[in-house]
Amino acid sequence: MQKPEISIIVPWYNEAENCAHFFETVVPILEDVTVSYEIVCVNDGSKDDTFSLLRAHRSENPNIKIVNLSRNFGKEAALSAGVDIASGRAVIPMDADLQDPPELLDAMVKAWRDGAQVVLARRMDRQSDSVLKRATSRWFYELFSRMAKPAIPKNVGDYRLMDRIVVDALKQLPERSRFMKGLFAWVGFRQITLDYTRPQRAAGSTKFNYLKLWNFALDGIFSFSSLPLKIWSYFGFLVSMVAIIFMAFLIARTILTGIDTPGYASTLSIILLFNGIILISMGAMGEYISRIFIEVKQRPIYLINEMEGFEASIDSNATSLPDVPVGGPPETARK
Ligand code: UDP
Ligand code: MG
């Protein structure tokens, strides 16, 4: 079997009500854009009947392929699975809720055929998101771009086209904490940006609450910046300087005017303040240590229960085999 020209990667988590609509919308558009495509559907441990619906669609269209993970690993892990398995010459991750408009596919593929290696889709306005989500995401991008290199492009989600060379580069990044936006940006390559307006979710509700988003943001920052680790030595240096000056002042004052003892309230507040700061700095170290802990365990990022649609390539052409053993990312990606 030939490798498809375009691979779409779709993570699915409890999206049964979006299933029919997704394929009805995406497949005709895709078939206008290319003659050879695959839609790699990664079922991320859905508890509803997403998996059986995906199989039903696959029985009508063999270009729909299914990777069923053994449980819910989260969107980033599901995307990693898709990236590892997709064999297309260009790869496009896309949400199942149609918030990544398939109408943009045509322009993305054209830009790629014209030589771009990465085609980013940027949200022009985020009217579909709540005020709080827009504000928090703006702060996050602002903070991230100050702390981490390379900065991630603002208002660009996972929806993008990546050439095979970019995907192969991405597959070499071995880390377990998969902040995909950061990893996508880290690999670089020749990029162009297209703008779009982000529509509302087609059906169902978002799978990300604010706690999940908070942890996601922390993951992004602690995985891509070591500033929270290093800042404390500069801060400590500053505080020590102030303390030395203050001590000199106290000694001089005692010599000149004698001892005077009040100062209980100021002593207590300084102790509390610095204990708080010490705990924050220890917490920041804890964030890194917990990430080191996760990395050294070397567990696979995801586990595959079953794959459908990839067998065909085993018979005819070994080179188009997905180079991912059932049970995790390729060995090369683990080193
Ligand atoms: N998703 C997933 N695993 C999860 C959470 C979400 O595969 O644990 C998928 C979900 O099915 C959808 C995509 O990730 O296809 C984006 O999720 P969602 O629309 O809830 O995110 P939002 O657009 O609200 O940021
Ligand atoms: Mg969505």
Side-chain angles (χ1 to χ4, degrees):
M1 208 175 81
Q2 283 274 300
K3 289 186 184 181
E5 186 185 25
I6 310 283
S7 294
I8 306 277
I9 300 172
V10 194
W12 296 82
Y13 178 53
N14 296 343
E15 302 277 10
E17 65 254 80
N18 280 316
C19 209
H21 188 40
F22 179 86
F23 293 112
E24 275 160 23
T25 317
V26 173
V27 169
I29 295 177
L30 208 50
E31 285 178 348
D32 279 346
V33 173
T34 177
V35 285
S36 132
Y37 69 93
E38 63 174 2
I39 303 179
V40 178
C41 299
V42 184
N43 178 34
D44 186 18
S46 299
K47 291 171 190 72
D48 62 1
D49 44 5
T50 300
F51 183 49
S52 52
L53 287 171
L54 289 175
R55 295 178 86 171
H57 282 92
R58 171 169 161 66
S59 65
E60 282 159 27
N61 180 351
N63 292 323
I64 298 172
K65 303 178 181 179
I66 307 171
V67 179
N68 193 29
L69 301 187
S70 66
R71 63 170 170 84
N72 178 249
F73 282 89
K75 182 184 178 188
E76 308 298 299
L79 273 184
S80 304
V83 165
D84 285 341
I85 291 159
S87 59
R89 282 190 279 124
V91 170
I92 307 175
M94 206 170 178
D95 286 356
D97 58 5
L98 288 173
Q99 280 197 293
D100 299 331
E103 294 74 27
L104 211 65
L105 285 172
D106 185 42
M108 284 170 117
V109 171
K110 280 205 178 103
W112 169 64
R113 286 183 183 141
D114 287 344
Q117 291 169 310
V118 177
V119 186
L120 301 174
R122 182 169 55 199
R123 305 162 196 177
M124 273 198 309
D125 73 304
R126 303 179 51 131
Q127 292 307 321
S128 58
D129 287 337
S130 69
V131 178
L132 184 62
K133 187 159 177 184
R134 266 181 282 163
T136 47
S137 106
R138 198 176 56 240
W139 297 333
F140 171 73
Y141 283 114
E142 204 54 56
L143 190 68
F144 191 96
S145 64
R146 272 156 211 247
M147 293 173 69
K149 290 277 165 311
I152 43 180
K154 287 199 177 88
N155 290 328
V156 173
D158 295 322
Y159 190 32
R160 63 187 63 212
L161 180 148
M162 288 173 288
D163 184 77
R164 175 52 40 194
I165 191 173
V166 182
V167 175
D168 286 342
L170 200 61
K171 282 161 74 172
Q172 290 177 35
L173 305 187
E175 55 250 74
R176 261 99 268 278
S177 49
R178 309 298 294 181
F179 182 69
M180 292 308 272
K181 272 195 260 257
L183 300 179
F184 288 153
W186 189 88
V187 294
F189 294 97
R190 225 168 25 239
Q191 318 197 327
I192 72 151
T193 306
L194 304 176
D195 288 320
Y196 75 100
T197 306
R198 193 153 175 87
Q200 297 280 0
R201 208 172 212 287
S205 57
T206 176
K207 310 291 180 271
F208 291 90
N209 54 31
Y210 280 101
L211 183 65
K212 257 189 170 180
L213 283 174
W214 167 251
N215 284 324
F216 186 53
L218 286 187
D219 217 31
I221 288 181
F222 288 111
S223 304
F224 281 88
S225 168
S226 52
L227 191 66
L229 203 53
K230 293 190 291 199
I231 197 166
W232 304 108
S233 37
Y234 296 99
F235 186 75
F237 181 74
L238 202 77
V239 170
S240 309
M241 285 293 125
V242 173
I244 288 170
I245 294 167
F246 189 55
M247 265 155 63
F249 164 74
L250 286 182
I251 291 169
R253 200 180 61 173
T254 310
I255 292 169
L256 293 177
T257 65
I259 296 178
D260 117 61
T261 40
Y264 169 76
S266 57
T267 310
L268 188 68
S269 48
I270 286 191
I271 289 176
L272 286 178
L273 174 71
F274 281 94
N275 276 320
I277 291 171
I278 289 168
L279 285 175
I280 293 172
S281 68
M282 281 175 57
M285 279 189 251
E287 291 287 344
Y288 287 96
I289 294 173
S290 73
R291 280 172 177 78
I292 297 170
F293 180 56
I294 290 168
E295 297 295 331
V296 296
K297 280 194 286 191
Q298 290 275 305
R299 289 194 183 153
I301 297 162
Y302 53 83
L303 288 175
I304 295 173
N305 191 355
E306 56 234 295
M307 302 214 281
E308 289 183 25
F310 301 94
E311 310 77 39
S313 52
I314 296 175
D315 300 329
S316 47
N317 182 359
T319 54
S320 60
L321 250 177
D323 46 1
V324 178
V326 173
E331 198 54 42
T332 48
R334 274 192 217 145
K335 286 184 186 130

